[in-house]
Amino acid sequence: MIFTLCGTSDARELAIRIEQNGFEILTSVVTDNAAKSLQEANLPVRVGRLDKNEIVTLIHREEVKAIVDASHPFAEEAHRNAMEAAKEAGIPYIRFERASLVYGDDPKLTVVSSYEEAALEAKKLKGSIMLTTGSKTLHIFTKHLSGDPDIRLVARMLPRRDNMLKCEELGVEQKNIIALQGPFTRELNEALYRQYGTTVMVTKESGKTGAVDDKIEAALKLGIQVILISRPEIDFGAVFTEFQDVIERLNEVAR
């Protein structure tokens, strides 16, 4: 059994490849919505967060031979739980990650290392600020940016009830919420920037599959300041960015 942490479109494709190569697989995602695409591919899937001890229990119960962590680049807690559980259970941990994108030295692009730093940078720039960083860290931005008469804070996120409730709790007005399921084309990004008069866009370095390149290039084309939050620095050991490299590693350690 190969236990695979999923949740992104490329993770789904990797899971399909793992199964096609003759491995028994169990996928894991956080939400029911993320589970649907895996179920449509007839992949076994479990739903919900797991701490380290719960993963260790699952490893023993399901006779897991290796963990493939293909969760989102910013899922820090999931990464650490999986690594620690694999170490405790004495099985291989294999990290698959979308390749990072390399951006030029455009003066309108600022790279920061944390959400807090991104919020403070946005506060200095002011204007119409569009967040494309999801709901989990929304409170960091509202703490620094809400209530400033020179700032319009626009939040772009998935159209889920819990996200809308969080916006309401944090004082984000309905007129400043974009509830849409991505990824978005460059043309749609440009249209949204124009619609909301965006002067600053905040995003995460999720990789090409997350359509971050289109999001950034569309903003820079319109002269919008971009604040890019770099990936967390985690020592994964070997990191694979190609499906075939993961398959080859599994052939070495899990046959």
Side-chain angles (χ1 to χ4, degrees):
M1 172 74 74
I2 308 301
F3 183 54
T4 306
L5 279 66
C6 297
T8 61
S9 57
D10 47 353
R12 174 185 181 275
E13 296 308 311
L14 174 58
I16 292 171
R17 288 280 292 275
I18 290 172
E19 187 176 59
Q20 288 174 342
N21 277 267
F23 292 98
E24 186 180 3
I25 189 171
L26 174 62
T27 62
S28 180
V29 293
V30 174
T31 66
D32 290 326
N33 188 62
K36 288 179 182 177
S37 66
L38 295 167
Q39 291 165 342
E40 288 168 358
N42 295 317
L43 291 166
V45 56
R46 62 155 308 281
V47 181
R49 300 182 188 278
L50 292 171
D51 62 25
K52 184 205 73 172
N53 292 332
E54 289 170 329
I55 297 175
V56 171
T57 298
L58 183 147
I59 289 170
H60 293 309
R61 184 180 69 241
E62 302 293 341
E63 299 182 354
V64 173
K65 294 182 178 180
I67 291 178
V68 175
D69 180 2
S71 56
H72 194 278
F74 282 79
E76 295 179 69
E77 185 178 357
H79 302 326
R80 292 195 172 92
N81 286 338
M83 283 190 287
E84 291 173 8
K87 183 177 180 180
E88 182 172 320
I91 65 171
Y93 169 88
I94 300 169
R95 173 63 179 155
F96 170 82
E97 190 163 279
R98 301 167 173 172
S100 295
L101 295 171
V102 178
Y103 300 99
D105 55 355
D106 193 302
K108 295 186 291 296
L109 175 64
T110 302
V111 180
V112 298
S113 60
S114 68
Y115 295 98
E116 189 84 16
E117 190 179 350
L120 292 173
E121 183 67 24
K123 187 174 181 66
K124 288 191 294 184
L125 294 171
K126 300 189 183 299
S128 180
I129 300 168
M130 183 179 291
L131 301 179
T132 66
T133 49
S135 63
K136 189 174 180 181
T137 57
L138 181 59
H139 64 284
I140 297 174
F141 293 96
T142 55
K143 179 179 72 172
H144 292 290
L145 305 177
S146 292
D148 188 322
D150 296 320
I151 290 176
R152 180 186 186 184
L153 185 61
V154 177
R156 192 172 100 180
M157 59 186 60
L158 292 171
R160 295 197 330 230
R161 182 181 300 175
D162 57 331
N163 287 346
M164 300 305 100
L165 289 173
K166 178 169 280 191
C167 285
E168 183 178 352
E169 291 167 2
L170 293 173
V172 180
E173 297 182 72
Q174 288 184 19
K175 65 181 180 180
N176 292 330
I177 300 171
I178 304 172
L180 289 174
Q181 171 81 50
F184 303 87
T185 63
R186 190 173 307 182
E187 291 75 15
L188 180 54
N189 277 310
E190 289 183 13
L192 289 171
Y193 295 148
R194 290 191 177 99
Q195 176 69 25
Y196 289 87
T198 305
T199 58
V200 180
M201 189 272 289
V202 184
T203 189
K204 301 181 291 189
E205 205 291 271
S206 301
K208 186 173 180 62
T209 309
V212 176
D213 53 343
D214 287 335
K215 193 190 306 183
I216 290 176
E217 289 173 13
L220 295 177
K221 177 184 175 182
L222 296 177
I224 294 168
Q225 295 283 339
V226 175
I227 301 173
L228 178 66
I229 304 168
S230 60
R231 294 181 182 183
E233 293 187 9
I234 299 175
D235 184 8
F236 292 111
V239 176
F240 300 100
T241 58
E242 299 293 335
F243 293 164
Q244 189 55 39
D245 292 335
V246 174
I247 301 302
E248 291 176 4
R249 180 62 176 154
L250 286 173
N251 283 330
E252 293 172 1
V253 302
R255 285 296 186 186

